[in-house]
Amino acid sequence: MKLFLLTILNSLTLAGLYFLVASGFSLVFGLMRSVNLAHGALYLLGGYIGWEVAEFSGSWLIGIAAGAVSMALCGALLQLCVFRFLEGQELRQTLVSIGLSIIVADVMLATWGGQAYQFEVPDFLWGSVKIPLLGLKYPIYRLFVLAAAVLAGILLWLLLNRTRLGKMIRAGVDDRTMLEATGVDIQKIFVVVFALGAGLAGLAGVVGGSALSLSPGEDLRYLLASLVVVIVGGMGSIAGAAYGALLIGFADTFGLAYSPTYGVVYTFLIMIVVLAVRPQGLMGKSS
Amino acid sequence: MADTPILAVEDLHVSFGHARILQGVNIRLASGVLSVVGRNGMGKTTLCQTLMGLVSAASGSVRLSGTNIMNAAPHKIAARGIGYVPQGRRLWPSLTVEDHLQLAAGLRSGPWTTESVYEIFPRLAERRNNGGANLSGGEQQMLAIGRALLTQPSLLVMDEPTEGLAPVIVDHVIETLKTLVANGMAILLIEQNIRVACDCAQEVAVMVNGKIQTTVASEKLYRDKALQGELLGLGSA
């Protein structure tokens, strides 16, 4: 019973982390139709930069901000200098972003080496807390990850549903040609959305690097997780990213806890079933 | 200059790969309405999209009140004063009626406001919190027109606005267009429906194989079934 409850909590917190990474990926895909396969590299690079800044400044919170802001700038630059010129050429976007992610991964390996980095989280997030009704202890930090993901989800929802920019983004996801023809400079919206998606990846890099650790290979792990989450949840839908993250988080964690040998299989089984039954994803719109 | 037409298209050529869709289109619209009719596949929608900057032209010129806007970015063309009502309405399904209008209204200031759009289309006011996808065909068309008006255009480019609408709604759309024109709006009206095309405009341009083959007085075209058959391939029915 205790293992079961702990596994549920672990699933939720992993889902939170997946949501942070995948929501940005999904947003960029939904609006721009470009699959940014460098998203995992943005996650890991954000984590490393956050780690450096946190070490230098002695503040983990500044580290988080640095991870998010630096990757948001990177994202804006990527859109302005690279993806803007590849509009509508999906294959080239895919190849260029794979190339970028390989280059960035090697540069990161050269700069930060092969060892794992661990953040020092602030004292108030350290240690564990007894959860009243369940009667078990659980790390405070993992609860923080869950809370951060929920908060990010709420903020994204507010941005998309309550602001003018959000309406433009949703209109662009529906039919971006008509958004342009109505007089919106879509390139500006693209830069903002790319920066937002990349910023979320950078933020997740620090948050995730503190929950687990930063090491080479994490970029691909999170890229793969994001891909599976948005394929399951539906490309371009934030709610879909949340459902997808929950499903994959639970499949991953329960798989590892109860049948470690086949743990990885469940994730892809879910993906195959979704692709077979509902190819546009749980919340995706059929085109 | 007083005689500068609101829209002047000269020798416009557009190709998709090897397919030449527009092969030297010439249009002159001084004011009021010019209808463009033609069979499917003659290039009418491509003409609209090229005017809007959504499709790039190989050569020619498109002048809006004297300024060449050919191949400008769509949002700049919209800002210069062309409102686009596309074929199939193309609303944004995840936005409500109110969202559609507010989004368009916030881009440029001018005579049109969301309230004035609700005045000419009271049905939209009743449905302001409905999603764009939950409207009837007629309501969708009203919303598409309202959205275009809120970009404060001097010229509306309308691509088959009565397609798929019930006859009574078609009459309502015609009335609306006439009111807009009476208030100084210029309209380039692409239509399959000869009755609508002739009712709204004095002149009707007939598009055949990517060219304006001829421009005829609407009364003449409306009465002369033989001419309709010859130009448009319409049966006597």
Side-chain angles (χ1 to χ4, degrees), chain B residues 104-202:
Chain B
L107 296 164
R108 277 176 90 201
S109 55
W112 290 97
T113 62
T114 45
E115 286 315 311
S116 58
V117 168
Y118 284 140
E119 264 171 44
I120 58 166
F121 299 124
R123 279 296 285 164
L124 291 183
E126 292 167 26
R127 303 202 140 239
R128 64 172 74 203
N129 293 319
N130 279 53
N134 302 332
L135 303 174
S136 71
E139 290 162 348
Q140 289 187 15
Q141 192 58 59
M142 293 173 200
L143 183 54
I145 295 173
R147 172 176 68 183
L149 289 175
L150 284 166
T151 65
Q152 319 296 350
S154 48
L155 168 71
L156 274 181
V157 172
M158 308 182 87
D159 195 352
E160 302 203 16
T162 63
E163 186 190 25
L165 299 183
V168 56
I169 311 286
V170 170
D171 290 340
H172 181 54
V173 171
I174 294 174
E175 284 311 310
T176 309
L177 298 194
K178 285 181 175 169
T179 315
L180 289 173
V181 172
N183 288 308
M185 182 73 72
I187 300 177
L188 184 72
L189 178 65
I190 313 291
E191 260 302 340
Q192 292 263 32
N193 184 330
I194 292 286
R195 180 174 74 88
V196 177
C198 296
D199 192 354
C200 291
Q202 304 279 326

Side-chain angles (χ1 to χ4, degrees), chain A residues 161 164 166-168 170-172 174-186 285, chain B residues 52 54 74-75 78 82 84 86 90-95 99 102-104 106-107 147 151:
Chain A
N161 289 285
R164 195 173 156 71
K167 281 172 194 163
M168 288 184 187
R170 282 190 296 143
D174 283 348
D175 187 337
R176 58 187 237 201
T177 312
M178 271 320 293
L179 189 63
E180 284 182 278
T182 306
V184 174
D185 185 354
I186 198 131
K285 295 183 190 109
Chain B
M52 224 35 236
L54 299 169
H75 71 274
I82 299 188
Y84 182 39
R90 291 178 68 175
L91 302 173
W92 298 303
S94 28
L95 268 59
D99 285 342
Q102 279 182 357
L103 202 168
L107 296 164
R147 172 176 68 183
T151 65

Side-chain angles (χ1 to χ4, degrees), chain A residues 4 25 61 76-77 81 91 109 131 133 141-142 158 184 209 217 240 250 261:
Chain A
F4 181 70
F25 185 76
L61 288 172
L77 281 176
C81 306
L91 194 56
L109 188 61
I131 298 179
L133 290 171
Y141 184 76
R142 299 209 61 155
L158 286 175
V184 174
F250 270 82
T261 320

Side-chain angles (χ1 to χ4, degrees), chain A residues 100-167:
Chain A
L100 276 170
S101 94
I102 293 171
I103 294 168
V104 173
D106 267 7
V107 171
M108 288 190 290
L109 188 61
T111 314
W112 286 285
Q115 75 269 39
Y117 287 75
Q118 187 81 49
F119 283 89
E120 265 184 53
V121 297
D123 287 341
F124 65 93
L125 293 175
W126 187 247
S128 56
V129 64
K130 202 168 167 70
I131 298 179
L133 290 171
L134 304 182
L136 45 84
K137 287 183 120 185
Y138 199 71
I140 300 175
Y141 184 76
R142 299 209 61 155
L143 293 175
F144 166 79
V145 172
L146 182 59
V150 171
L151 182 69
I154 292 172
L155 288 177
L156 275 175
W157 187 87
L158 286 175
L159 171 79
L160 288 175
N161 289 285
R162 289 280 178 273
T163 67
R164 195 173 156 71
L165 174 68
K167 281 172 194 163

